[in-house]
């Protein structure tokens, strides 16, 4: 209804920033004024969760469920709270029951898969993501998550299939190129690895990819060229963490070349 939409919009707007204690306090007063609206309590619970105030998040969830016992958003959030307060088994058991109860609810299946990833239960997470992908076959974020799970499990053939598909997807293209390079690197296919790393554009993976290219060059005997590449990259950035990464890469190359001094 209209009131629910208003609270949802408020939560989305405020939720773009980290909810500080004052914001929570103000919204707590607001939800008490509109205590007969489940959406008011749920929005408060979500804000408290983002602020990592799990006790208040649980209060908001309890109030929501007292009005709407089958509110799936509240049930999902309750299990997230369980997971973040050391009750991971309870969280997974509850999510598994929700998955069984709502077999066509993609949000529940997705949250269950993400919980399994958070707990490093990767084979189970893969199965869960496979089910979500049946419900949302064109979602590139799901394809990306599935590809990374295969990479984590060392299942390179399956990972390649998904990553190659993502090279046609703008949001994940650079990441796909980067991880295709990592797979070839692990398999000691250094020239193939370089070709993938060189396709990575500027962004999150750019400097790691270029550092990896230099390391591949060195393994192919092009130590001087590799060092020049790293030095040029260092001159292009003022980011201290990136410069440190590039110095470490050069140090590793020199160690591998027995240039210990």
């Amino acid at each position: 209804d209209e009131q629910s939409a208003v609270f949802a919009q408020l939560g989305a707007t405020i939720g773009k920033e980290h909810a500080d204690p004052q914001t929570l306090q103000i919204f707590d007063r607001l939800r008490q004024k509109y205590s007969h609206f489940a959406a008011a309590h749920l929005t408060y619970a979500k804000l408290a969760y983002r602020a990592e105030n799990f006790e208040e998040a649980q209060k908001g969830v309890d109030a929501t469920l007292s009005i709407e016992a089958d509110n799936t958003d509240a049930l999902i959030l309750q299990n997230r709270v369980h997971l973040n307060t050391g009750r991971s088994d309870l969280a997974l058991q509850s999510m598994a029951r929700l998955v069984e109860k709502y077999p066509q609810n993609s949000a529940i299946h997705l949250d269950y898969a993400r919980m399994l990833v958070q707990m490093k239960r990767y084979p189970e997470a893969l199965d869960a993501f496979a089910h979500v992908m049946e419900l949302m076959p064109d979602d590139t974020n799901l394809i990306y998550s599935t590809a990374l799970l295969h990479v984590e499990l060392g299942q390179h053939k399956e990972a390649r299939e998904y990553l190659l598909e993502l090279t046609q997807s703008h949001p994940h293209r650079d990441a796909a190129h980067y991880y295709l390079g990592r797979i070839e690197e692990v398999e000691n296919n250094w020239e193939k690895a370089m070709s993938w790393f060189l396709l990575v554009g500027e962004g999150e993976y750019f400097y790691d990819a270029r550092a990896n290219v230099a390391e591949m060059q060195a393994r192919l005997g092009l130590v001087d060229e590799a060092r020049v590449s790293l030095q040029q990259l260092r001159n292009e950035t003022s980011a201290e963490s990136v410069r440190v990464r590039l110095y470490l890469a050069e140090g590793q190359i020199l160690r591998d070349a027995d240039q210990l001094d």
Side-chain angles (χ1 to χ4, degrees), residues 92-230:
L92 281 183
Q93 289 167 9
S94 298
M95 284 303 296
R97 286 196 295 270
L98 285 176
V99 163
E100 188 175 346
K101 185 175 180 179
Y102 300 100
Q104 299 304 312
N105 189 312
S106 58
I108 289 174
H109 286 277
L110 182 56
D111 234 82
Y112 181 51
R114 286 172 174 167
M115 280 189 182
L116 289 165
V117 170
Q118 190 172 338
M119 295 179 67
K120 301 187 187 307
R121 294 169 67 160
Y122 299 130
E124 293 171 78
L126 260 182
D127 291 339
F129 272 116
H131 191 88
V132 186
M133 287 177 69
E134 290 176 6
L135 301 172
M136 304 165 62
D138 299 322
D139 190 308
T140 55
N141 291 325
L142 290 177
I143 296 171
Y144 179 53
S145 297
T146 302
L148 293 190
L149 280 172
H150 283 300
V151 171
E152 184 69 34
L153 291 167
Q155 297 170 351
H156 292 173
K157 179 184 175 184
E158 295 84 350
R160 271 195 191 93
E161 291 177 6
Y162 288 113
L163 291 169
L164 286 169
E165 184 178 347
L166 288 169
T167 59
Q168 306 303 314
S169 166
H170 175 67
H172 300 294
R173 185 177 298 133
D174 284 334
H177 290 149
Y178 176 77
Y179 282 105
L180 283 165
R182 288 286 300 274
I183 288 171
E184 297 298 345
E185 180 182 2
V186 169
E187 296 183 354
N188 296 325
N189 299 323
W190 297 326
E191 290 183 353
K192 283 186 179 179
M194 279 198 298
S195 68
W196 285 119
F197 287 136
L198 287 168
L199 290 174
V200 176
E202 291 207 18
E204 179 183 357
Y205 297 95
F206 178 76
Y207 285 103
D208 264 348
R210 289 300 188 271
N212 288 343
V213 167
E215 289 166 2
M216 301 298 99
Q217 287 177 313
R219 289 174 187 175
L220 291 167
L222 305 172
V223 173
D224 291 339
E225 290 87 340
R227 294 189 66 193
V228 168
S229 298
L230 291 171

Side-chain angles (χ1 to χ4, degrees), residues 4 7-8 10-12 24 27-28 30-32 34-50 56-68 70-78 80-81:
S4 295
F7 282 112
L10 272 173
L24 279 180
F27 214 96
D28 190 23
L30 187 64
R31 80 179 178 108
Q32 289 172 22
Y34 296 95
S35 59
H36 53 298
F37 290 122
H41 299 294
L42 181 58
T43 302
Y44 176 74
K46 288 179 177 179
L47 289 172
Y49 179 82
R50 291 190 192 110
E56 288 302 308
Q58 187 62 57
K59 288 180 184 178
V61 165
D62 290 341
T64 304
L65 294 175
S66 70
I67 300 170
E68 295 180 2
D70 289 330
N71 188 303
T72 53
D73 284 347
L75 292 168
I76 290 172
L77 185 57
Q78 178 169 257
R80 289 182 189 164
V81 171

Side-chain angles (χ1 to χ4, degrees), residues 228-245:
V228 168
S229 298
L230 291 171
Q231 289 159 9
Q232 288 175 342
L233 285 169
R234 282 201 300 270
N235 292 334
E236 293 173 8
T237 179
S238 59
E240 185 175 342
S241 61
V242 172
R243 290 172 61 81
V244 168
R245 164 77 173 95

